[in-house]
Amino acid sequence: MCATLAPKPHPAIVDLVRVAIDVRKINDFGIGTYVRNLVNQLARIDQETEYLLLCGQSDVESVERLGENFRAVTDLSGQYSIREQVSIPSKLLRLAPQVFHTPHYVLPALTPCRSIVTIHDCIHLVFPQYLKGRIARIYARSTFWTAVNRASRILTVSEASKRDILRFFSVSPDKVTVIHNAIAEHFFETPSQQQLSEVRERYQLNHRFIMYAGNVKPHKNLERLIDAFVLLRKIEGNADLRLLITGSEISKYAMLRRAVHRYNLHRYVRFLGYQTERTLATLYRLADVFVFPSLYEGFGLPPLEAMASGTPVVVSRASSLPEVVGDSGVLVNPYDAISIADGVQTVLADNNFTEDLKKRGLARARTFSWAKSIERIHRIYQEVAEVQ
């Protein structure tokens, strides 16, 4: 059963700080990964602070399994809705937390306590054309403005995203703290030969292939990746090469399939749709190269996952990707299909370079840690709440 709006404090945590967190996106991709790691790590390191997690009804049991100091508070208002602008402040007023953390850029204007907002990226400001209509663009801009100006502290996931926040809004750099994302430990684990064989057989992966993972929205630049793949296949020795694209909602972007048919590549380009993390980790291991030509990323988890899996990566030199990959991947011009193709061919053609890239990529991936990142967020909770 869900907690009431004014839960009775557990005896062990009376008089200690109370933190509310909006976890309604806990089952989403992207931000959901951030939320899940946030609450799981907090449960591991802190059994004293009282955490009040605003969630949907279906998530109450999983929230309360986190520990005795975690309480579920249902909120049924729609995300990015007018209702949440009233519902959440009303609950916070009754719950009386010292700190409220929203893990995305929606911070209700009437929030009655000190607040922390995580802004993962500014894509709706950089590419406003992706939003549906003028009202959506106005809502996004005003919501960003409220979050930036009302929050006590702003967290973001890369220096590139911090630069974007400072570019779009007049805010002190000291107010914005960069805390990197990380990846799940199982990406570092070598799949068994049986797992590798099962995935290879399931998807008939009997040829060399380059791989992309992520969503297929326009800024991911997949049409240009297909252009680059056409160039790659013209190089001697690449007749067996395949392109594997994983990601949800492919049906919404028919231009990708049209591009494949325009070049008569339907035998060589595979769209696999959504994959579980375990299957994705195995696919990374089987791929010859992972390619991520995105035009914009707040952080960019897939290249890091591929590096942890021992796969060489080719990424665009745009936004946060050079910051994430460092010198452990090949950086290319995402606006130039020739540059993308050249980057991939460099990896395919030079075994010594590829092996060095794999080693550097694995070492680079290990420098990112959810445990360290959430410990920093935990300290910021204490700072904002003025806990000594």
Side-chain angles (χ1 to χ4, degrees), residues 274-329:
Y274 167 76
Q275 301 296 317
T276 66
E277 283 194 349
R278 293 288 179 179
T279 301
L280 200 56
T282 305
L283 287 170
Y284 286 139
R285 297 272 173 172
L286 294 171
D288 291 87
V289 188
F290 179 79
V291 190
F292 202 72
S294 180
L295 302 176
Y296 184 83
E297 294 293 322
F299 184 80
L301 281 175
L304 202 60
E305 293 169 349
M307 290 159 63
S309 302
T311 304
V313 301
V314 175
V315 303
S316 72
R317 58 170 65 101
S319 62
S320 65
L321 292 171
E323 178 183 342
V324 172
V325 172
D327 65 353
S328 302

Side-chain angles (χ1 to χ4, degrees), residues 156-388:
T156 193
V157 296
S158 65
E159 295 291 344
S161 286
K162 179 173 181 175
R163 288 193 296 271
D164 286 340
I165 293 167
L166 299 179
R167 175 162 64 97
F168 284 107
F169 300 99
S170 179
V171 59
S172 169
D174 294 338
K175 188 177 179 179
V176 186
T177 301
V178 175
I179 300 178
H180 287 137
N181 286 335
I183 55 175
E185 280 298 314
H186 59 251
F187 286 106
F188 293 99
E189 300 167 1
T190 303
S192 68
Q193 282 302 315
Q194 181 178 348
Q195 288 174 294
L196 292 169
S197 297
E198 286 177 352
V199 172
R200 189 185 291 278
E201 184 176 349
R202 185 191 314 163
Y203 294 113
Q204 296 297 295
L205 301 174
N206 302 317
H207 302 85
R208 295 185 306 158
F209 68 92
I210 62 178
M211 176 182 169
Y212 165 84
N215 68 52
V216 295
K217 293 179 180 178
H219 72 279
K220 298 298 185 177
N221 202 28
L222 297 187
E223 283 190 87
R224 198 166 280 116
L225 174 58
I226 292 171
D227 293 339
F229 182 64
V230 172
L231 298 175
L232 280 164
R233 284 188 45 79
K234 292 179 179 179
I235 298 173
E236 185 177 354
N238 285 346
D240 68 329
L241 196 61
R242 302 292 194 268
L243 171 60
L244 203 67
I245 295 175
T246 74
S248 57
E249 300 186 329
I250 288 174
S251 60
K252 290 185 178 180
Y253 301 96
M255 72 282 188
L256 291 180
R257 294 193 183 276
R258 285 198 295 267
V260 169
H261 287 286
R262 182 170 67 249
Y263 290 121
N264 196 28
L265 289 172
H266 55 278
R267 290 175 54 198
Y268 308 103
V269 179
R270 302 272 304 280
F271 295 97
L272 296 191
Y274 167 76
Q275 301 296 317
T276 66
E277 283 194 349
R278 293 288 179 179
T279 301
L280 200 56
T282 305
L283 287 170
Y284 286 139
R285 297 272 173 172
L286 294 171
D288 291 87
V289 188
F290 179 79
V291 190
F292 202 72
S294 180
L295 302 176
Y296 184 83
E297 294 293 322
F299 184 80
L301 281 175
L304 202 60
E305 293 169 349
M307 290 159 63
S309 302
T311 304
V313 301
V314 175
V315 303
S316 72
R317 58 170 65 101
S319 62
S320 65
L321 292 171
E323 178 183 342
V324 172
V325 172
D327 65 353
S328 302
V330 176
L331 302 181
V332 297
N333 179 357
Y335 295 96
D336 183 359
I338 295 175
S339 177
I340 298 170
D342 285 347
V344 175
Q345 183 60 21
T346 298
V347 177
L348 291 174
D350 189 334
N351 290 335
N352 290 332
F353 175 69
T354 299
E355 289 305 311
D356 180 59
L357 210 58
K358 289 180 179 181
K359 292 176 183 176
R360 283 189 278 146
L362 181 57
R364 176 76 176 179
R366 290 195 182 281
T367 65
F368 296 85
S369 162
W370 277 122
K372 292 178 182 177
S373 293
I374 304 309
E375 283 175 2
R376 290 186 63 198
I377 293 175
H378 183 256
R379 287 198 296 271
I380 289 173
Y381 287 169
Q382 294 173 315
E383 291 170 10
V384 172
E386 294 185 343
V387 174
Q388 301 300 318

